[in-house]
Amino acid sequence: KGTSAAAAAAAAMARNGTQDVDVALMTNATARLLGEHKSCTISFNFKDISISSAAEILGVVFAVFMIDSVGRTWTQGVFYTLGAAMAVILGFRHIDMNILTVAASVARLAEMAASCATWVHTPELFPTRVRAQAHTVLNLVSKVGAFLAQYLISDAFSQVACGGMMAAVSFAAGIAAIFLTETAGKDLSEMSDVGSTKAGGSNSSLSDSDEDGADVTDQE
């Protein structure tokens, strides 16, 4: 159970970290745009950006069709690992732009599919009380990730190093997700009532003890 909780936390942290990196990228670009001289021009290849963004729609479609047939854990493991591989490719700026566009598209597809599976899987693993506490803690951790992401994508690191670190986080999430308990095809009450079952078991033991004591008293 400790391993499952740690793995779920790692997967959720990776998911939140990926989203925060995207936010940091936009924030950093805006800051540079506003901070530079007015004569400075920054060009964007909106065509390639649109293609990579549209790939996230396919990611949702893949998650829908795989999450029940393949399973929650393997859907996350495969797509987080695929996203890690694409992040490594994106670290090499000298590669042809068409290849980078394909890599960016596949990366966004993979991370979206894996994130969708994570959002479905984690609520099925733990009862509401545990989910509420974990979400609070991980929300705080995600803000720390958003702060560090600003430094990660700055000029302090090379593009290869930046891609490598993002790939490491995504790969760690994929490995962690594989070791989670599979919930596909299971009754949710079996997963969410674990804590209450234990509590009920202890209460029933106390009740049995009280009944035994009452029987002894009656016999006397």
Side-chain angles (χ1 to χ4, degrees):
K1 294 178 182 177
T3 303
S4 297
M13 289 173 65
R15 179 193 67 227
N16 291 331
T18 302
Q19 296 172 348
D20 290 329
V21 168
D22 292 336
V23 174
L25 284 169
M26 292 184 291
T27 305
N28 187 52
T30 304
R32 290 187 178 183
L33 180 61
L34 297 176
E36 295 290 343
H37 193 269
K38 293 182 179 180
S39 61
C40 178
T41 58
I42 299 178
S43 61
F44 290 95
N45 192 331
F46 289 102
K47 177 182 177 182
D48 294 336
I49 294 175
S50 300
I51 293 174
S52 63
S53 298
E56 293 188 359
I57 300 175
L58 292 177
V60 176
V61 174
F62 274 110
V64 169
F65 284 99
M66 293 180 61
I67 197 168
D68 286 326
S69 59
V70 179
R72 275 74 161 149
T73 57
W74 281 103
T75 299
Q76 294 174 81
V78 169
F79 282 114
Y80 276 131
T81 303
L82 179 59
M86 295 300 105
V88 172
I89 296 177
L90 291 173
F92 298 94
R93 184 178 299 179
H94 63 275
I95 298 178
D96 182 73
M97 181 58 66
N98 293 328
I99 297 178
L100 290 176
T101 301
V102 172
S105 300
V106 175
R108 297 186 67 164
L109 181 154
E111 296 298 340
M112 175 58 73
S115 296
C116 289
T118 302
W119 278 106
V120 172
H121 194 199
T122 49
E124 297 174 346
L125 283 173
F126 306 105
T128 303
R129 178 178 59 82
V130 176
R131 292 200 306 268
Q133 294 177 349
H135 184 76
T136 301
V137 174
L138 293 176
N139 188 40
L140 174 62
V141 174
S142 70
K143 304 310 175 187
V144 177
F147 173 79
L148 296 177
Q150 304 277 347
Y151 182 66
L152 172 63
I153 63 173
S154 67
D155 295 334
F157 295 95
S158 65
Q159 188 166 339
V160 174
C162 181
M165 283 184 279
M166 288 191 294
V169 172
S170 186
F171 182 72
I175 297 300
I178 292 177
F179 289 97
L180 292 173
T181 301
E182 181 58 65
T183 59
K186 293 185 178 180
D187 188 357
L188 294 181
S189 61
E190 298 177 7
M191 309 302 300
S192 60
D193 294 340
V194 173
S196 60
T197 301
K198 286 186 176 182
S202 59
N203 291 334
S204 62
S205 298
L206 293 175
S207 300
D208 293 340
S209 299
D210 293 339
E211 292 177 358
D212 293 340
D215 293 339
V216 173
T217 304
D218 293 339
Q219 291 176 359
E220 291 177 354

